[in-house]
Amino acid sequence: MKRRKFINNIALGAVGTFGFPTIVPAHVLGGKDAPSNKINIGQIGCGRIARTHDLPSTWRYEKARIMAVCDLDRNRTVDTKKLVEEYYTKKTGQSNYIDVKMYDDYREMLLNKDIDAVMISTPDFWHAQPAMEAALAGKDIYLQKPTSLTIKEGRQLAELIKKTGRILQVGTQQRSSSQFRRAAELVRNGRIGKLHTVKVGLPGDPGGPVVQAMPVPKGFNYDMWLGSTPYIPYTELSVHPQVGYDRPGWLRMEQFGAGMITGWGQHHYDSAAWGMDTELTGPISVEAVAEFPKSGVWNVHGDFMAKAEYANGITMYTSGGFPNGIRYEGTEGWIFVSRGDYSATPSDPTSKVRAKAIDASNPAILESVIGEKEIHLYHSDEQHGNWLDCIESRKEPISPIEIGHRACTVCLITHVAMKIPRKLNWDAKKEQFINDAEANRYLSRTQRAPYGTDRIKF
């Protein structure tokens, strides 16, 4: 489908102030019990995260209805259609409650005006483009992190969402976990004194074996899967398993992402910024050292140490040598927050010890009551539920795109620092390195036609 034809088709609805569709969502039409009184959702990307996280976290809400699925691997599309239909059959007792539509190309899904919103659970390098095109099609969006592959396309996405007024929720779901909000509120309200240091624990990834090119599996659109990245021969270890939904190999390839610095990094940097009060800005400098595999198919970073300095006097360190989580250190104590467990030995992921989801240098810190006139942060009980509520209310979700883009930016400039062995000065307002042409070359990538955000005009 040619892009011009696509843009013309999605613009058939009413045109708003900025020349973008202001399509009335299907769920606001009809009476309370009408089939259209649901938020009709299409799932883009039917891999591990979609099946274990995004779909189960969304279909449990009565207001949501998963009505379409799309993947470039036909086997996964068929598999996920079955998964969704079996869930609704069990939930409703009706075997014909829904016939989930299947799409091989998400752009065709976006032309379906019965679909109000989409969840994008694709590989990292396929986040920004479908999110932008979904916004142009008048859809609201749940976007898995990281928000973009480069800072340039992240900024493009943030500007487009701002202009179209779509509701975009970034999948940094730690914001909807009570312990992360509680930690950030305590820090912001001075319970550990003046915050001066933040330590973020993030693991690295191992290298992989040398592999040989393989035939592309039947029913898999490999060329489109590569998207805007360069063409390379197909291997299963560089894409995803053909049987099952184990962790895919593309996560460990720099062509498709940056490794754990973006994989876990956007979660923790987003949460850390909440406590640091730096959500809408960024560091003034970054520097890092990292190990990278010297051979094999997987080439993202392994062990590393990074340092970022902020204008408010806070220094943030990141390393796999720290427990997986965030430790805020102030002049009067510390708070550590995590999801509740972490690797005791970063080099041995099978070695686990249980950690408290939130801990402090003094138990009294955690018992402190936040006063009525103190800082109270956005409260959400669950990320997907908050997204659905905001689709209805049109209020800003707990993880909006601008904040998501800023957190992703910290990940991406840290990755640049891993490549350049010196201190890099960063201008968060201009979103570029200061007087450093070498580092600024990493802010964007050449995009392989006909894919990429550079070809989207708005």
Side-chain angles (χ1 to χ4, degrees):
M1 182 185 300
K2 293 186 180 296
R3 183 169 302 281
R4 184 177 298 277
K5 179 180 178 183
F6 168 67
I7 295 298
N8 287 339
N9 283 341
I10 65 172
L12 289 177
V15 177
T17 305
F18 294 96
F20 299 111
T22 54
I23 299 169
V24 178
H27 74 275
V28 303
L29 305 174
K32 177 181 178 182
D33 298 321
S36 60
N37 195 35
K38 297 277 188 182
I39 300 174
N40 291 318
I41 298 170
Q43 174 66 51
I44 301 176
C46 297
R48 177 180 61 113
I49 294 298
R51 294 172 63 88
T52 63
H53 182 59
D54 288 332
L55 287 168
S57 296
T58 304
W59 66 30
R60 65 191 180 97
Y61 293 98
E62 290 296 330
K63 66 180 69 177
R65 181 174 182 264
I66 311 299
M67 63 168 290
V69 295
C70 175
D71 199 278
L72 295 173
D73 188 328
R74 186 67 177 183
N75 290 333
R76 292 188 160 203
T77 312
V78 172
D79 232 9
T80 306
K81 169 184 168 70
K82 181 181 178 183
L83 178 75
V84 175
E85 290 178 350
E86 286 180 346
Y87 170 79
Y88 281 123
T89 296
K90 183 177 180 180
K91 180 178 180 179
T92 66
Q94 303 175 43
S95 60
N96 60 347
Y97 173 79
I98 189 170
D99 178 15
V100 174
K101 299 181 184 298
M102 294 192 297
Y103 293 91
D104 296 315
D105 188 326
Y106 72 88
R107 295 170 295 186
E108 294 179 22
M109 175 191 282
L110 296 179
L111 295 175
N112 185 338
K113 293 186 179 180
D114 290 333
I115 295 175
D116 305 311
V118 295
M119 292 191 290
I120 300 174
S121 315
T122 50
D124 296 1
F125 61 102
W126 261 117
H127 284 179
Q129 181 177 343
M132 291 177 71
E133 291 171 331
L136 288 170
K139 316 299 184 188
D140 295 317
I141 304 142
Y142 190 97
L143 180 64
Q144 269 302 331
K145 53 80 214 158
T147 48
S148 63
L149 185 63
T150 67
I151 290 167
K152 179 182 178 181
E153 68 178 13
R155 174 48 57 198
Q156 289 175 311
L157 173 59
E159 293 304 310
L160 178 58
I161 295 302
K162 184 188 304 181
K163 289 185 177 181
T164 58
R166 305 320 305 172
I167 300 298
L168 187 151
Q169 177 85 296
V170 178
T172 44
Q173 71 271 12
Q174 287 180 178
R175 281 187 174 245
S176 293
S177 296
S178 60
Q179 72 268 29
F180 286 96
R181 182 183 68 255
R182 176 68 171 160
E185 283 184 337
L186 290 169
V187 172
R188 292 273 288 269
N189 285 291
R191 296 306 192 269
I192 59 171
K194 181 175 174 54
L195 178 66
H196 55 76
T197 304
V198 175
K199 295 177 180 176
V200 177
L202 287 177
D205 269 309
V210 175
V211 295
Q212 301 298 319
M214 303 167 62
V216 176
K218 184 178 179 181
F220 178 41
N221 186 345
Y222 179 59
D223 182 78
M224 186 174 182
W225 184 88
L226 287 170
S228 63
T229 74
Y231 181 87
I232 59 172
Y234 170 83
T235 69
E236 188 172 357
L237 281 181
S238 62
V239 183
H240 58 248
Q242 279 299 297
V243 177
Y245 293 89
D246 289 341
R247 193 168 189 260
W250 64 260
L251 280 166
R252 293 169 171 169
M253 296 189 63
E254 286 205 331
Q255 175 162 341
F256 309 127
M260 292 299 282
I261 193 64
T262 50
W264 264 93
Q266 184 159 346
H267 283 303
H268 285 348
Y269 286 156
D270 175 71
S271 296
W274 217 8
M276 294 161 63
D277 193 16
T278 58
E279 297 166 283
L280 295 175
T281 181
I284 57 174
S285 70
V286 289
E287 49 192 311
V289 291
E291 295 181 356
F292 289 89
K294 294 180 173 56
S295 63
V297 65
W298 295 334
N299 59 359
V300 296
H301 71 85
D303 289 343
F304 74 103
M305 169 68 83
K307 175 184 178 182
E309 297 175 315
Y310 286 78
N312 59 7
I314 298 171
T315 301
M316 180 172 70
Y317 298 95
T318 311
S319 173
F322 301 141
N324 194 327
I326 304 160
R327 179 181 165 108
Y328 300 101
E329 298 181 354
T331 55
E332 298 175 27
W334 56 263
I335 293 174
F336 174 78
V337 61
S338 74
R339 295 190 187 182
D341 63 77
Y342 59 89
S343 296
T345 307
S347 60
D348 180 10
T350 63
S351 175
K352 298 279 188 178
V353 297
R354 192 70 185 172
K356 293 180 180 179
I358 184 169
D359 199 4
S361 53
N362 184 339
I365 293 174
L366 303 181
E367 297 169 2
S368 175
V369 176
I370 305 298
E372 182 179 346
K373 294 183 179 181
E374 292 189 285
I375 297 170
H376 291 262
L377 300 176
Y378 195 133
H379 185 166
S380 163
D381 291 322
E382 200 279 319
Q383 197 83 350
H384 297 78
N386 175 257
W387 175 57
L388 297 171
D389 289 344
C390 291
I391 288 175
E392 292 184 323
S393 69
R394 310 314 294 173
K395 294 181 180 179
E396 186 171 76
I398 192 168
S399 296
I401 182 56
E402 183 63 35
I403 288 176
H405 168 63
R406 293 289 181 170
C408 186
T409 294
V410 180
C411 303
L412 294 172
I413 64 175
T414 301
H415 185 245
V416 175
M418 292 180 185
K419 301 287 186 177
I420 301 176
R422 53 184 160 79
K423 187 174 184 177
L424 305 176
N425 296 311
W426 176 249
D427 186 327
K429 186 174 181 179
K430 294 181 179 179
E431 294 188 323
Q432 60 184 245
F433 294 101
I434 299 172
N435 299 325
D436 199 323
E438 180 186 5
N440 283 327
R441 282 198 290 269
Y442 286 92
L443 302 182
S444 63
R445 294 190 187 188
T446 300
Q447 298 182 331
R448 186 175 69 101
Y451 310 105
T453 58
D454 286 349
R455 293 168 179 80
I456 300 176
K457 307 301 178 184
F458 63 94

